[in-house]
Amino acid sequence: MASEPSERGENTRAVHLPVPPPLAQQPLAVPVYRSAAFAFGSSAEYAALLNGSAAGYSYSRIDNPTADSFAASVAALEACQLPGPAAAQPFASGMAVISAVFWTFTEAGAHVLAPAAVYGGTYGFLRDVAGKFGVRTDFVDVTDLDQVRAALRPETRIVYAETVANPTTAVADLPALAELAHQAGALLVVDSTLAPPPVCRPLEHGADLVLHSATKYLGGHSDATGGVVTGSPELVARIRAVRIDTGGSLAPDEAFLLRRGLETLPLRVSRQCATALAFASAVAGHPAVRRVDYPGLPGHPGHQVARRLFDAGPDGQSYRFGAIVTVTPYGGRAGGYALADRLRVAQVATSLGGTHTKVSHVASTTHRQFDDAALAAAGIDPGAVRFSVGLEDAADLIADATQALDALGGTREERE
Ligand code: PLP
């Protein structure tokens, strides 16, 4: 019998290659643990891990060290000012985390309150998927607290908000929503994809859970897909259990890229926000523009709420208002298409939050699930074009938008 390694067959030797011992030095970058399975010294150790009496790793759908490291890093940024502990869970995408949160805290007969201007994928999930399983959602204007109050019901489990709505850029009054939700016995769950740390940290403003499509600013380079949720260890443990059962776990390669992105998050986001403010201010004055939505503009309806909730920056007065600017030209749907297609620096592309400035015609892309009535209820003009401002120079982006708007031509009356 071949028991010594040197006596084993060629295939056994190939499969059981030497592995490096644990390192004495901490690597500066978190390694990619690209292993679906982990080995144990004994069956008792394996059993102890699975029944929760020992910590560690068994199988990467359950937990993976690189994915955990990414989630813990997000928790450190989101909860840096909280008195108590916070935990986070990594997911394969923003929609994986959003769906897991609803599966965790609702059941047939439960009620959800969500914004009329919610991200299209969330809208589709709540209406078509959760709805099929008996969860009823009312879509209301969450910036109108009377509407929220009137829509709450004894069976409301979740009040859902986006810190900055995609694409209207409406800013949610999180402390007021938290108070209403908690009075009704519901959780306040906040999608803060468009307002990542350091723009805003919703847990400091009463949110029970904050989630992100990490595909956007957290990763920041449009090269990895992921999601993450942060909150109290008790709530997050319940979400983890659902993630394990539904399988939306984050892959280690993606986790590596997303965690690396976090190291430059404040630098990237601060610069993107400053460029977005300059861009929004410049474009708002163009005669071909019907309206510009950007929370950093003093006339924006959410500007004061943003000043109250957003981080004031290292000097106490450098608010960052996000880097999504929604530009609505005259000319309806055709005007929006023409604006997007004439841009040369900004690219027509999916997603947001990356280094490249991207545009999308909202009604035909991110919010294609919305019919005209839902678009109107959400306050989305059929011509709206969403700019996700990247890291290019502000002057180039402004010149690009100006030439595209100039080319729309015609008088205001003709464009109408
Ligand atoms: N939430 C918001 C605000 C989004 O914009 C998106 C995607 O665009 C999502 C959630 C979904 O994220 P993902 O595409 O990573 O599933």
Side-chain angles (χ1 to χ4, degrees):
M1 200 169 71
S3 57
E4 289 304 312
S6 58
E7 296 165 356
R8 291 175 185 164
E10 61 185 11
N11 294 301
T12 307
R13 277 187 279 120
V15 171
H16 292 261
L17 294 172
V19 290
L23 303 183
Q25 298 76 25
Q26 182 73 14
L28 216 51
V30 172
V32 182
Y33 287 92
R34 196 192 285 132
S35 186
F38 297 80
F40 295 88
S42 71
S43 300
E45 275 179 33
Y46 186 9
L49 189 114
L50 289 185
N51 71 27
S53 58
Y57 295 92
S58 61
Y59 184 55
S60 282
R61 173 167 56 77
I62 298 180
D63 292 303
N64 173 278
T66 318
D68 278 356
S69 162
F70 162 66
S73 304
V74 173
L77 298 178
E78 287 282 12
C80 57
Q81 311 264 344
L82 292 183
Q89 275 293 300
F91 280 83
S93 69
M95 286 316 302
V97 68
I98 289 167
S99 53
V101 166
F102 284 107
W103 294 138
T104 306
F105 299 107
T106 62
E107 67 289 322
H111 177 247
V112 169
L113 260 189
V118 76
Y119 166 64
T122 310
Y123 178 78
F125 170 79
L126 286 169
R127 190 191 59 184
D128 303 334
V129 185
K132 203 168 69 169
F133 290 90
V135 176
R136 251 214 46 211
T137 304
D138 279 324
F139 296 95
V140 298
D141 177 357
V142 295
T143 63
D144 178 346
L145 298 176
D146 289 334
Q147 263 194 50
V148 174
R149 197 174 291 108
L152 283 165
R153 297 159 36 159
E155 57 276 24
T156 306
R157 299 279 177 273
I158 291 180
V159 174
Y160 189 83
E162 294 178 0
T163 310
V164 173
N166 177 14
T168 62
T169 74
V171 182
D173 188 341
L174 300 179
L177 289 173
E179 197 181 331
L180 288 176
H182 295 159
Q183 276 166 5
L187 296 174
L188 176 63
V189 177
V190 176
D191 178 341
S192 209
T193 298
L194 271 63
V199 174
C200 185
R201 293 180 297 274
L203 297 176
E204 289 169 21
H205 302 295
D208 298 287
L209 293 164
V210 56
L211 62 87
H212 292 268
S213 164
T215 318
K216 311 299 185 322
Y217 292 98
L218 303 189
H221 293 73
S222 308
D223 55 8
T225 303
V228 62
V229 59
T230 308
S232 72
E234 296 73 29
L235 293 179
V236 170
R238 292 177 60 189
I239 301 169
R240 172 176 172 268
V242 171
R243 174 179 61 68
I244 293 168
D245 285 344
T246 52
S249 304
L250 178 63
D253 286 283
E254 305 291 272
F256 173 85
L257 291 169
L258 296 172
R259 188 188 177 283
R260 187 174 63 172
L262 293 179
E263 294 188 5
T264 54
L265 181 67
L267 280 176
R268 283 185 285 107
V269 168
S270 298
R271 156 89 186 215
Q272 284 169 288
C273 293
T275 307
L277 180 58
F279 178 80
S281 309
V283 170
H286 195 285
V289 170
R290 180 206 286 274
R291 62 186 268 190
V292 170
D293 292 291
Y294 181 64
L297 296 178
H300 185 282
H303 183 69
Q304 292 308 331
V305 181
R307 280 186 166 268
R308 179 155 48 83
L309 302 186
F310 290 6
D311 189 295
D315 62 0
Q317 42 198 328
S318 303
Y319 292 94
R320 287 149 291 195
F321 295 99
I324 298 298
V325 181
T326 300
V327 179
T328 305
Y330 288 104
R333 207 170 265 263
Y337 261 80
L339 168 59
D341 290 351
R342 289 196 167 110
L343 295 164
R344 295 292 170 261
V345 178
Q347 290 166 288
V348 174
T350 319
S351 200
L352 57 92
T355 53
H356 291 236
T357 294
K358 295 177 188 155
V359 289
S360 58
H361 172 254
V362 175
S364 59
T365 59
T366 53
H367 288 64
R368 64 191 177 284
Q369 297 91 339
F370 286 48
D371 59 19
D372 283 353
L375 282 177
I380 300 171
D381 189 287
V385 176
R386 186 189 72 190
F387 284 72
S388 166
V389 173
L391 288 176
E392 301 92 338
D393 293 294
D396 292 329
L397 295 174
I398 293 167
D400 186 37
T402 304
Q403 64 77 27
L405 289 164
D406 287 348
L408 293 183
T411 64
R412 175 181 165 160
E413 288 67 31
E414 284 163 3
R415 288 191 292 265
E416 290 285 29

